[in-house]
């Protein structure tokens, strides 16, 4: 009898391990298949000069959307999100951007051990080897350039500073499979020898970042006849929502994935570090004409310090445990969790512990947005805690 119990326990453990082999055992998709396409838009308001290109500022746009008719084509792999539809005039820009995204991925998602803060050691595998293995992981996106259905609501996503436009590809698939068009873009480019995304002093133009977000939002609006368009941003991307959409009634709702300001109480320091947000929230006292969902790992179920000053018809503060890293709001944060167990990762259990919290955030964001679409009545101020 004892041996039978042991065999059963081993069998159940095998099932548990196998269930962790696939991201989509956790991220439950909706009824639509997910189409993916990328395109290029040029901003006539701003110039861009780098490498062998001189012309209007480019945005490389990635779009996830519902597929009306079932499509049996193969799924894209992670590596497909790193590249763009080739444009002869921008070939070098695109190649360098792909190389930069790979370097940033290694820096932000492979190098640091979450357990001790030291460098990860994958033994016989280099960081580049691990990235190559991750690049072969399958997504649930299918190449499809036909956006069907004229009335799908639209979501615009901003990845923030030195991020990837596809950093939340699983979020994009989650929403596209439920009838949303999800749009992201390369909001940052390389300028000479500056750090990626940093403008040289002589090239700086006031409000260019805000206007860039508005340009991509205007393009996103053209993809659907729906009047429902939403904004989701992470880190600086979330701050950009507060900076760009203060008087914009086009946006029906905004989701902020940890601006980084939530943890600060010194207003003078906030003014120094994030002057544009301070200007909008404190100096101008902007009345945002749409509901806002703020998320941050504050460890408390209560409004977020400085962001209590934000004026909006409805605000939801969603806190979670402090043991939820800044990048844990992003699906690419978890990709190495799904590598073969032969890749030694002493912090793998931590990734596994964070993943259910990520899924709960997806569900809360979805309920928030759908509630706005359905015109549900909610309290003016709401606090939620995810654990």
């Amino acid at each position: 009898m004892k041996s039978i119990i042991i065999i059963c326990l081993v069998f159940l453990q095998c099932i548990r391990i196998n269930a962790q082999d696939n991201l989509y055992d956790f991220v439950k998709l909706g009824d639509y298949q997910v189409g993916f396409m990328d395109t290029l838009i040029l901003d006539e308001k701003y110039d861009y000069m780098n490498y062998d290109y001189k012309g209007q500022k480019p945005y490389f746009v990635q779009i996830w959307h519902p597929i009306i008719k079932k499509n049996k084509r193969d799924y894209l792999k992670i590596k497909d999100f790193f590249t763009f539809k080739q444009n002869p005039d921008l070939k070098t820009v695109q190649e360098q951007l792909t190389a930069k995204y790979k370097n940033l991925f290694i820096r932000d998602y492979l190098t640091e051990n979450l357990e001790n803060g030291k460098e990860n050691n994958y033994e016989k595998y280099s960081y580049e080897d691990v990235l190559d293995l991750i690049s072969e992981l399958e997504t649930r996106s299918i190449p499809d350039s036909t956006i069907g259905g004229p009335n799908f609501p639209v979501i615009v996503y901003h990845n923030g500073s030195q991020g990837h436009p596809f950093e939340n590809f699983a979020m994009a698939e989650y929403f596209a499979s439920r009838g949303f068009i999800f749009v992201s873009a390369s909001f940052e480019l390389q300028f000479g020898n500056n750090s990626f995304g940093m403008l040289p002093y002589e090239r700086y133009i006031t409000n260019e970042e805000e206007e860039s977000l508005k340009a991509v939002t205007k393009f996103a609006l053209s993809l659907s006849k729906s009047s429902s368009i939403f904004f989701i941003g992470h880190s600086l991307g979330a701050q950009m929502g507060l900076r760009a959409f203060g008087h914009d009634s086009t946006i029906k709702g905004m989701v902020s994935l940890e601006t980084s300001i939530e943890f600060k109480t010194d207003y003078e320091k906030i003014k120094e570090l994030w002057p544009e947000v301070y200007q909008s929230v404190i100096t101008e006292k902007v009345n945002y004409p749409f509901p806002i969902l703020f998320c941050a790992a504050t460890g408390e179920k209560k409004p977020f310090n400085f962001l209590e000053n934000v004026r909006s018809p409805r605000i939801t503060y969603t806190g979670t445990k402090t043991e939820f890293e800044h990048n844990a709001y992003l699906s690419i944060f978890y990709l190495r969790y799904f590598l073969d167990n032969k890749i030694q990762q002493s912090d793998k259990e931590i990734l596994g512990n964070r993943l259910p919290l990520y899924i709960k955030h997806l569900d809360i964001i979805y309920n928030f947005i759908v509630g706005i679409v359905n015109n549900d009545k909610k309290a003016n101020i709401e606090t939620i805690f995810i654990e």
Side-chain angles (χ1 to χ4, degrees), residues 206-381:
T206 302
N207 294 329
E208 180 177 347
E209 293 173 304
E210 291 86 345
E211 292 301 315
S212 293
L213 175 54
K214 290 179 181 179
V216 172
T217 302
K218 182 179 179 181
F219 167 78
L221 278 166
S222 71
L223 301 176
S224 174
K225 293 181 180 178
S226 173
S227 61
S228 296
I229 182 164
F230 300 89
F231 174 74
I232 301 176
H234 173 248
S235 194
L236 176 64
Q239 295 178 34
M240 289 307 306
L242 294 173
R243 290 165 53 176
F245 297 128
H247 304 284
D248 195 337
S249 58
T250 303
I251 300 295
K252 302 305 179 187
M254 170 181 158
V255 178
S256 164
L257 302 176
E258 207 165 272
T259 65
S260 300
I261 305 174
E262 294 85 356
F263 312 97
K264 305 294 183 182
T265 56
D266 184 337
Y267 279 38
E268 286 304 312
K269 193 67 176 177
I270 291 171
K271 185 178 181 180
E272 175 190 342
L273 294 174
W274 302 288
E276 297 89 350
V277 176
Y278 186 94
Q279 175 74 20
S280 294
V281 174
I282 301 299
T283 306
E284 296 180 12
K285 296 180 170 56
V286 169
N287 280 299
Y288 295 90
F290 44 76
I292 302 175
L293 169 62
F294 287 114
C295 302
T298 59
E300 298 178 298
K301 184 182 178 181
K302 68 176 201 177
F304 302 149
N305 297 326
F306 174 82
L307 296 178
E308 281 189 274
N309 296 287
V310 173
R311 292 164 175 80
S312 162
R314 176 159 61 89
I315 297 180
T316 302
Y317 300 95
T318 300
T320 191
K321 295 185 285 188
T322 55
E323 298 85 6
F324 194 70
E325 290 75 11
H326 188 59
N327 284 338
Y329 292 94
L330 314 176
S331 48
I332 61 174
F333 177 80
Y334 302 97
L335 286 175
R336 63 184 175 91
Y337 179 73
F338 299 99
L339 294 176
D340 191 285
N341 284 331
K342 67 184 179 182
I343 310 295
Q344 296 300 311
Q345 301 185 72
S346 64
D347 60 350
K348 187 172 182 177
E349 185 178 349
I350 294 175
L351 286 168
N353 290 336
R354 304 296 189 266
L355 188 51
L357 297 178
Y358 174 77
I359 304 304
K360 289 178 181 179
H361 278 89
L362 286 184
D363 292 338
I364 283 176
I365 294 167
Y366 176 75
N367 290 333
F368 171 79
I369 289 177
V370 169
I372 296 172
V373 172
N374 294 337
N375 202 27
D376 293 346
K377 301 300 180 185
K378 298 272 188 170
N380 291 345
I381 301 292

Side-chain angles (χ1 to χ4, degrees), residues 51-219:
Y51 309 115
D52 53 1
Y53 176 79
K54 181 179 181 180
Q56 295 176 341
K57 183 179 179 180
Y59 305 107
F60 303 106
V61 182
Q62 296 183 319
I63 305 166
W64 290 261
H65 60 90
I67 294 178
I68 302 298
K69 294 182 179 180
K70 292 291 183 180
N71 191 323
K72 294 183 178 179
R73 278 185 285 180
D74 293 337
Y75 293 126
L76 293 170
K77 295 181 178 180
I78 295 297
K79 65 182 178 184
D80 296 311
F81 294 148
F82 279 88
T83 58
F84 308 94
K85 186 185 296 180
Q86 288 298 308
N87 180 290
D89 295 333
L90 288 156
K91 184 174 183 291
T92 305
V93 175
Q94 291 175 314
E95 290 174 348
Q96 293 299 319
L97 193 55
T98 293
K100 179 59 66 175
Y101 283 152
K102 289 181 178 179
N103 290 336
L104 290 172
F105 188 99
I106 289 172
R107 184 194 72 181
D108 293 341
Y109 305 105
L110 300 185
T111 305
E112 184 182 355
N113 186 290
L114 301 174
E115 192 173 38
N116 53 35
K118 298 179 180 179
E119 275 201 29
N120 262 321
N121 179 4
Y122 299 104
E123 296 187 343
K124 66 178 181 178
Y125 296 93
S126 68
Y127 292 140
E128 289 75 17
D129 292 336
V130 176
L131 175 57
D132 287 342
L133 292 170
I134 287 173
S135 296
E136 293 298 323
L137 294 174
E138 271 193 350
T139 71
R140 288 298 178 267
S141 299
I142 297 171
D144 189 301
S145 59
T146 304
I147 299 180
N151 297 313
F152 290 128
V154 178
I155 295 172
V156 175
Y157 181 88
H158 195 306
N159 55 259
S161 177
Q162 299 196 346
H164 302 71
F166 53 89
E167 65 185 18
N168 244 329
F169 73 93
M171 175 187 285
E173 293 174 331
Y174 176 97
F175 276 96
S177 71
R178 287 166 170 80
F180 288 80
I181 298 169
F182 194 101
V183 179
S184 186
S186 56
F187 288 104
E188 294 182 313
L189 297 167
Q190 185 69 47
F191 288 88
N193 295 322
N194 288 45
S195 297
F196 180 63
M198 295 296 292
L199 293 166
Y201 178 78
E202 66 276 8
R203 170 63 178 73
Y204 180 79
I205 301 174
T206 302
N207 294 329
E208 180 177 347
E209 293 173 304
E210 291 86 345
E211 292 301 315
S212 293
L213 175 54
K214 290 179 181 179
V216 172
T217 302
K218 182 179 179 181
F219 167 78

Side-chain angles (χ1 to χ4, degrees), residues 18-31:
N18 288 333
Q20 294 175 339
D21 286 342
N22 193 313
L23 174 63
Y24 302 97
D25 290 323
F26 296 88
V27 179
K28 301 300 182 184
L29 300 183
D31 294 333

